[in-house]
Amino acid sequence: MNTEQYLQMRREAFTNDGIAITAAKAPDLVLWDQNRYTDMNKLILGGTGNNMNTHFSFSQGDSLFQVMVNGGYGSQTAALPSDVYGKRWSLLSDFYYRSKNRKLKTGVTASYSITENKWLTENIMNATLLAPNAPELKDEAGNLVWEGNGVHFRNPLSYFRLNDNIQTGNSLLHAYVQYKLMRKLRLETSVGYNEIKVQERSKEPMSAFDPKLNPTGTYSEAKNIFTTWIVEPSLHYTDSLGDKIRVDGVIGTSWSSQLNDRWSREDTGYINDQLLGIPETAQGSKYSADKSKYLFLSTFGRVKFNFKDKYFLSLTLRRDGSSRFGPENRYANFGAIGAGWIFWEKENEKGANSYAKLRASYGTTGNDQIGDYAYLNTWGKALRQYQAITGIFPEGLANPYYQWEVTRKLEGGIELRFNDYFSANVIGYRNRSKNQLINYKLPTQTGYGNIVQNFPATIQNTGIEVDAVFKKSWGKFMWCSKLNLAIPQNKLVQFNDLENSAYASKLMIGKPLNILIVQHYTGVDSATGLFTVADPNEKIAISYDPVFFGGIRNLFHYQQFYLDTYLEFRQQKAPHFSSYFYNSSTSTPGQTDLDFYSNLPAELDNRWRQRGDQATWQKVSTLSSGSIKNSIPNWVNSDALLIDASYVRLKNAQLGYTFTEKFCKKKHIKGTSIYISADNLFTITPFKGADPELQVPFSLPLQKTITIGVQVTL
């Protein structure tokens, strides 16, 4: 809202409550300039960010030996009045060798990257809620202003002084060996190593807070080292049964180890911003450390049959073990069967192949993504001492009986190919799980918030996925189009005694899992100006799962020019962005908080003002109780909360020109091209929030990025 709309809204709130406006109760209406206006959106988002990306690559080799090295550097700044940034350095090398007798193949890939990001610790978009007639944000000397006529407010520029610096190093090494023991028998082994180091430093200086509040500075630091080893040996066998059946078999094992070592420290009580980060000058300090280890072991076997390149059959068996389960339930068996049939095939006079293939499969898969040590009682160390003794307290409740989550997957599909210009893959699936692993909510009187256990319900996921490619040339012009589409659905099939469980208010049989159970909204009462519902005891399920989503990529070539575009689309619903204000724990429309972050979207200007009004929003109030406050749940807990957030977005468009071979020879280079690329050019959506993809009321909108580049091959 601008100043005029904001002041009118605030005065209405006092009138609705029958409360007189005074300097003590409404300083923004009495003590602050009634004509002053600051557009916080323009102040925060009116800048321009810069991106830069450089990349090099070198390769050399022959039929037996090949080596490749490439690297890159990229940097990015944000369209904010701050020095936040992101940087990335990367280096990758790849080595490949094949023996002359073709029995041995080996390769090693190594990469290392470093990213450094400086960002803000708090959401700067909250600053857009500052009262539009707030005083100047800086004085003549450039210092932050924290009050106007003796009234405190939070200066939104203080957000830029709360910085977070994160550095991430990623080391990756992968090596493999293939050796042909006999004509039909081949041994393969691969070894992988990955180490990710994350170090975070956060500063909260005294200068980011009102001096009258006697603030002190805080410095936080944390480090996390995540190390993974993977070893996967396997034995492959290929043979024929007669002239018509080809058999491929493999047996193998997979072992992996993951170690997570982390610590954090927070130093408080700094009285000088220049000393932030020096532990000896802090008045208080908290330190915590943790370490966890995860082991996974799997053995598997698979056999495939190919009859006349027309009928296909595959069988898979595996036994998986995980350290995340109790000793009695660490291992589980899984299997799958699949079949395919090429029922139509044709080759034209140019040699292009066309075919149609049906395929189906059924199998079971396991899931152990529940965190470590949940089957044990876990304890935490108290932050404060009692009589010079550091105590411990229970954090997790043991459950050694939960088992592998098993999902039964049924899938069918058809593959189509017509010459070289069209191909499609359509898949339908149905997955059912009867024992999902979750953190099950417990009654508060147990002393624990939840416990890991198998979910006592049957959950079904179904859907259709489509991938299609069309390619056609007309002389010097070529067009290639790719479509991907997903139509997912899920529902709760069975939940014994749901009505008496902790999930009775969140789930309904036959409905999707991601639902809200609400009442039917009947609008704002024209007589009282309050939100209303048809029946407070009604239960309606509304889902915020996407109906479908996907993308279309189009590539056009004409002589040396090309145009590449990617269009993204999604049909979905999302919470109305105004729900942020009606769900706020500090203030609701008409009220102010201690920081005077009380502005509202201009849409709320269509509110009830007098008897007979047909308005979208109810009347406003300054009170924290009463009929106006009590009617807010009638909207928040109704089917009006979710609105259409479908969108179509031009995610990327790139126009380029590739120079001719004749031009490159004159310049003594192998090839070169230039291009201009644009990201997030436009979004078509009825959603009025910041972004329909993120669906967060106060998130930084996606930046439109224009990139100009050149690529040279020497």
Side-chain angles (χ1 to χ4, degrees), residues 200-424:
E200 181 177 0
R201 299 180 179 90
S202 176
K203 293 183 178 181
E204 296 183 4
M206 298 167 55
S207 60
F209 303 95
D210 187 349
K212 289 189 175 181
L213 302 178
N214 297 317
T216 57
T218 301
Y219 175 83
S220 302
E221 186 173 358
K223 191 171 185 179
N224 195 328
I225 302 177
F226 195 83
T227 307
T228 302
W229 281 97
I230 299 178
V231 181
E232 296 181 321
S234 58
L235 196 63
H236 299 253
Y237 178 79
T238 302
D239 199 357
S240 297
L241 301 178
D243 298 331
K244 298 181 179 180
I245 301 177
R246 187 173 71 247
V247 180
D248 294 297
V250 58
I251 57 173
T253 184
S254 176
W255 173 87
S256 66
S257 170
Q258 296 179 1
L259 178 65
N260 192 7
D261 192 355
R262 52 193 177 270
W263 60 264
S264 63
R265 188 185 79 245
E266 182 183 63
D267 300 328
T268 57
Y270 287 97
I271 58 175
N272 187 328
D273 287 346
Q274 301 300 319
L275 302 178
L276 284 174
I278 303 177
E280 292 78 11
T281 60
Q283 298 180 21
S285 183
K286 299 176 183 178
Y287 177 84
S288 64
D290 192 15
K291 182 181 291 187
S292 63
K293 189 174 184 179
Y294 165 57
L295 296 174
F296 178 85
L297 178 63
S298 175
T299 56
F300 60 89
R302 181 175 62 249
V303 59
K304 294 182 178 180
F305 300 92
N306 179 341
F307 179 64
K308 299 172 61 174
D309 288 330
K310 186 174 183 179
Y311 303 98
F312 308 89
L313 178 67
S314 67
L315 302 170
T316 303
L317 292 174
R318 61 184 300 130
R319 181 171 174 81
D320 296 342
S322 171
S323 63
R324 289 175 171 163
F325 298 94
E328 301 299 322
N329 298 303
R330 286 188 173 161
Y331 292 91
N333 300 319
F334 307 98
I337 182 172
W341 172 36
I342 297 179
F343 61 89
W344 174 77
E345 189 171 15
K346 183 179 180 181
E347 184 175 311
N348 65 12
E349 62 277 4
K350 296 182 180 180
N353 188 36
S354 299
Y355 70 88
K357 178 182 178 182
L358 292 174
R359 63 184 180 89
S361 64
Y362 177 79
T364 58
T365 60
N367 176 33
D368 66 344
Q369 301 304 304
I370 51 173
D372 300 312
Y373 312 126
Y375 63 92
L376 297 173
N377 285 313
T378 55
W379 300 80
K381 185 176 70 172
L383 297 177
R384 298 178 181 178
Q385 292 185 335
Y386 177 73
Q387 295 182 352
I389 299 175
T390 301
I392 60 175
F393 63 93
E395 283 187 327
L397 184 61
N399 180 9
Y401 306 110
Y402 60 78
Q403 304 172 351
W404 279 84
E405 175 185 319
V406 179
T407 300
R408 292 165 174 80
K409 297 187 174 184
L410 177 65
E411 182 178 297
I414 183 170
E415 297 178 23
L416 301 172
R417 180 183 177 89
F418 297 99
N419 299 325
D420 291 329
Y421 61 85
F422 178 78
S423 63

Side-chain angles (χ1 to χ4, degrees), residues 59 113 143 166 170 173 259 405 435 438 510 560 613 622:
S59 61
S113 65
N143 300 313
I166 302 177
N170 191 341
L173 179 67
L259 178 65
E405 175 185 319
N435 61 343
I438 65 166
Q560 308 304 121
D613 280 353
T622 65

Side-chain angles (χ1 to χ4, degrees), residues 310-615:
K310 186 174 183 179
Y311 303 98
F312 308 89
L313 178 67
S314 67
L315 302 170
T316 303
L317 292 174
R318 61 184 300 130
R319 181 171 174 81
D320 296 342
S322 171
S323 63
R324 289 175 171 163
F325 298 94
E328 301 299 322
N329 298 303
R330 286 188 173 161
Y331 292 91
N333 300 319
F334 307 98
I337 182 172
W341 172 36
I342 297 179
F343 61 89
W344 174 77
E345 189 171 15
K346 183 179 180 181
E347 184 175 311
N348 65 12
E349 62 277 4
K350 296 182 180 180
N353 188 36
S354 299
Y355 70 88
K357 178 182 178 182
L358 292 174
R359 63 184 180 89
S361 64
Y362 177 79
T364 58
T365 60
N367 176 33
D368 66 344
Q369 301 304 304
I370 51 173
D372 300 312
Y373 312 126
Y375 63 92
L376 297 173
N377 285 313
T378 55
W379 300 80
K381 185 176 70 172
L383 297 177
R384 298 178 181 178
Q385 292 185 335
Y386 177 73
Q387 295 182 352
I389 299 175
T390 301
I392 60 175
F393 63 93
E395 283 187 327
L397 184 61
N399 180 9
Y401 306 110
Y402 60 78
Q403 304 172 351
W404 279 84
E405 175 185 319
V406 179
T407 300
R408 292 165 174 80
K409 297 187 174 184
L410 177 65
E411 182 178 297
I414 183 170
E415 297 178 23
L416 301 172
R417 180 183 177 89
F418 297 99
N419 299 325
D420 291 329
Y421 61 85
F422 178 78
S423 63
N425 192 3
V426 181
I427 299 172
Y429 62 88
R430 193 204 74 172
N431 303 333
R432 277 201 172 191
S433 174
K434 294 185 178 181
N435 61 343
Q436 282 194 330
L437 287 167
I438 65 166
N439 282 309
Y440 192 84
K441 294 182 179 180
L442 294 174
T444 55
Q445 57 265 33
T446 64
Y448 295 89
N450 51 60
I451 183 174
V452 174
Q453 71 174 48
N454 294 103
F455 197 44
T458 300
I459 297 170
Q460 177 175 288
N461 289 277
T462 59
I464 297 175
E465 296 179 354
V466 179
D467 290 295
V469 179
F470 173 80
K471 186 177 181 180
K472 185 68 174 176
S473 296
W474 297 271
K476 297 180 180 180
F477 179 80
M478 187 276 290
W479 172 35
C480 180
S481 183
K482 297 181 179 181
L483 165 71
N484 61 82
L485 172 67
I487 309 174
Q489 292 182 343
N490 70 81
K491 67 178 180 179
L492 181 64
V493 177
Q494 182 181 358
F495 193 131
N496 295 331
D497 200 26
L498 173 62
E499 295 78 9
N500 297 317
S501 74
Y503 294 87
S505 62
K506 297 181 179 297
L507 298 175
M508 291 179 67
I509 302 295
K511 300 296 182 180
L513 298 183
N514 297 319
I515 62 170
L516 299 174
I517 299 179
V518 297
Q519 296 83 46
H520 176 58
Y521 179 68
T522 52
V524 175
D525 190 304
S526 61
T528 63
L530 302 178
F531 292 136
T532 60
V533 294
D535 181 2
N537 299 315
E538 187 179 19
K539 290 186 177 182
I540 302 174
I542 54 175
S543 171
Y544 48 92
D545 281 333
V547 179
F548 64 81
F549 59 89
I552 301 175
R553 181 185 179 188
N554 284 290
L555 176 62
F556 305 94
H557 263 285
Y558 180 72
Q559 294 185 346
Q560 308 304 121
F561 291 93
Y562 71 87
L563 174 64
D564 192 353
T565 65
Y566 181 71
L567 203 67
E568 183 180 75
F569 56 86
R570 180 180 291 253
Q571 182 179 340
Q572 63 182 0
K573 288 188 175 183
H576 197 291
F577 62 90
S578 293
S579 62
Y580 174 88
F581 304 96
Y582 287 106
N583 278 319
S584 175
S585 60
T586 56
S587 63
T588 52
Q591 296 178 308
T592 62
D593 56 18
L594 295 177
D595 296 328
F596 274 90
Y597 281 26
S598 49
N599 204 350
L600 299 171
E603 179 172 323
L604 268 70
D605 200 42
N606 183 17
R607 63 185 175 276
W608 189 93
R609 289 177 170 84
Q610 61 186 3
R611 189 179 184 86
D613 280 353
Q614 301 295 321

Side-chain angles (χ1 to χ4, degrees), residues 90-108:
S90 64
L91 182 66
L92 181 144
S93 64
D94 184 76
F95 165 84
Y96 168 80
Y97 171 75
R98 178 174 62 84
S99 64
K100 290 184 178 180
N101 60 9
R102 298 180 179 271
K103 284 190 174 183
L104 175 67
K105 292 181 182 179
T106 185
V108 177

Side-chain angles (χ1 to χ4, degrees), residues 90-201:
S90 64
L91 182 66
L92 181 144
S93 64
D94 184 76
F95 165 84
Y96 168 80
Y97 171 75
R98 178 174 62 84
S99 64
K100 290 184 178 180
N101 60 9
R102 298 180 179 271
K103 284 190 174 183
L104 175 67
K105 292 181 182 179
T106 185
V108 177
T109 301
S111 67
Y112 182 69
S113 65
I114 299 176
T115 59
E116 181 180 352
N117 294 292
K118 181 182 179 183
W119 196 242
L120 309 177
T121 59
E122 294 190 31
N123 185 2
I124 182 61
M125 293 302 294
N126 288 328
T128 60
L129 299 179
L130 179 66
N133 67 327
E136 288 280 358
L137 303 181
K138 289 185 177 181
D139 60 21
E140 295 180 354
N143 300 313
L144 298 188
V145 173
W146 298 95
E147 62 177 42
N149 289 340
V151 180
H152 162 84
F153 68 95
R154 181 173 182 181
N155 194 313
L157 299 182
S158 65
Y159 282 89
F160 298 114
R161 300 191 178 187
L162 301 171
N163 293 318
D164 199 20
N165 187 282
I166 302 177
Q167 291 182 332
T168 303
N170 191 341
S171 304
L172 178 66
L173 179 67
H174 178 261
Y176 71 92
V177 176
Q178 296 181 7
Y179 187 76
K180 187 175 290 187
L181 300 172
M182 294 183 291
R183 185 173 62 88
K184 300 178 180 180
L185 192 62
R186 183 179 77 253
L187 175 67
E188 293 187 8
T189 300
S190 66
V191 178
Y193 171 79
N194 182 219
E195 182 183 73
I196 300 175
K197 292 183 179 180
V198 181
Q199 187 162 7
E200 181 177 0
R201 299 180 179 90

Side-chain angles (χ1 to χ4, degrees), residues 638-697:
S638 77
D639 53 5
L641 180 65
L642 294 187
I643 59 173
D644 188 6
S646 305
Y647 68 90
V648 175
R649 170 174 289 154
L650 183 56
K651 196 73 174 180
N652 176 266
Q654 181 170 303
L655 177 65
Y657 179 84
T658 303
F659 288 88
T660 63
E661 184 179 349
K662 182 178 179 180
F663 173 86
C664 295
K665 284 183 177 180
K666 288 183 179 180
K667 302 300 180 181
H668 306 290
I669 56 178
K670 290 184 178 181
T672 185
S673 62
I674 57 175
Y675 64 88
I676 179 170
S677 177
D679 296 330
N680 305 313
L681 276 179
F682 66 80
T683 302
I684 302 174
T685 179
F687 188 69
K688 296 182 180 180
D691 182 65
E693 182 179 0
L694 299 177
Q695 303 177 13
V696 179

